[in-house]
């Protein structure tokens, strides 16, 4: 079965890295995605809950901030629970498997840190 999601939007808050009891990195964030069509001259946005794990979570927290555009690539997932009123609820969210930069360039300091994070011992192909 196919389960693939790709969205471009803006982070609605600063991503905060957390760790599970087994020390696995995780970040939850909300992504605001503007609709392509305008209603009464105004564009609507949809908000999607996203979660990323491991090195993807660490990367997001290191290089992205509130309001910055991001492209996320992942899959839909859900979990079901019973609330305090004994009503069955379902959360649907995106499990982020990869991200890309888009929009305006990040600050010069962020860009330099990003470039310096790569292994400088690689052979250059000309």
């Amino acid at each position: 079965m196919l389960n693939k999601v790709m969205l471009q939007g803006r982070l609605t808050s600063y991503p905060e890295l957390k760790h599970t009891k087994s020390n696995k990195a995780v970040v939850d964030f909300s992504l605001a995605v503007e609709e392509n069509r305008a209603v009464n001259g105004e564009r609507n946005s949809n908000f999607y809950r996203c979660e990323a794990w491991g090195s993807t979570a660490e990367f997001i927290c290191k290089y992205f901030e509130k309001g910055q555009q991001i492209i996320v690539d992942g899959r839909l997932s859900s979990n079901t629970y019973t609330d305090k009123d004994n009503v069955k609820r379902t959360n649907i969210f995106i499990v982020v498997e990869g991200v890309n930069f888009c929009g305006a360039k990040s600050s010069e300091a962020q860009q330099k840190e990003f470039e310096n994070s790569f292994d400088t011992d690689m052979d250059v192909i000309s």
Side-chain angles (χ1 to χ4, degrees):
M1 296 292 156
L2 181 65
N3 182 355
K4 192 72 171 168
V5 176
M6 184 175 272
L7 297 169
Q8 176 183 343
R10 292 186 184 275
L11 293 171
T12 62
S13 61
Y14 290 93
E16 182 181 336
L17 190 65
K18 297 179 182 177
H19 289 86
T20 64
K21 289 180 183 178
S22 60
N23 208 30
K24 181 124 183 173
V26 62
V27 64
D28 280 314
F29 60 94
S30 179
L31 190 64
V33 178
E34 193 174 90
E35 291 184 355
N36 287 331
R37 61 178 168 52
V39 177
N40 296 329
E42 291 186 28
R43 291 193 184 263
N44 225 11
S45 290
N46 293 304
F47 297 86
Y48 299 96
R49 186 172 156 252
C50 301
E51 72 177 27
W53 293 86
S55 59
T56 303
E58 292 168 349
F59 185 86
I60 291 167
C61 291
K62 188 171 183 178
Y63 295 108
F64 290 92
E65 57 188 41
K66 179 180 179 178
Q68 191 173 357
Q69 286 190 41
I70 186 173
I71 296 173
V72 299
D73 174 10
R75 61 183 166 81
L76 281 178
S77 189
S78 66
N79 60 22
T80 304
Y81 67 97
T82 303
D83 70 10
K84 65 179 181 173
D85 298 324
N86 210 28
V87 176
K88 193 173 183 177
R89 305 273 184 188
T90 301
N91 283 331
I92 298 173
F93 55 95
I94 297 151
V95 177
V96 178
E97 296 167 342
V99 298
N100 285 294
F101 295 99
C102 64
K105 287 186 178 182
S106 58
S107 72
E108 191 174 316
Q110 279 181 313
Q111 188 65 29
K112 287 225 182 282
E113 188 176 341
F114 173 70
E115 290 167 0
N116 291 336
S117 69
F118 292 103
D119 184 5
T120 55
D121 294 334
M122 294 189 308
D123 292 332
V124 177
I125 300 173
S126 22

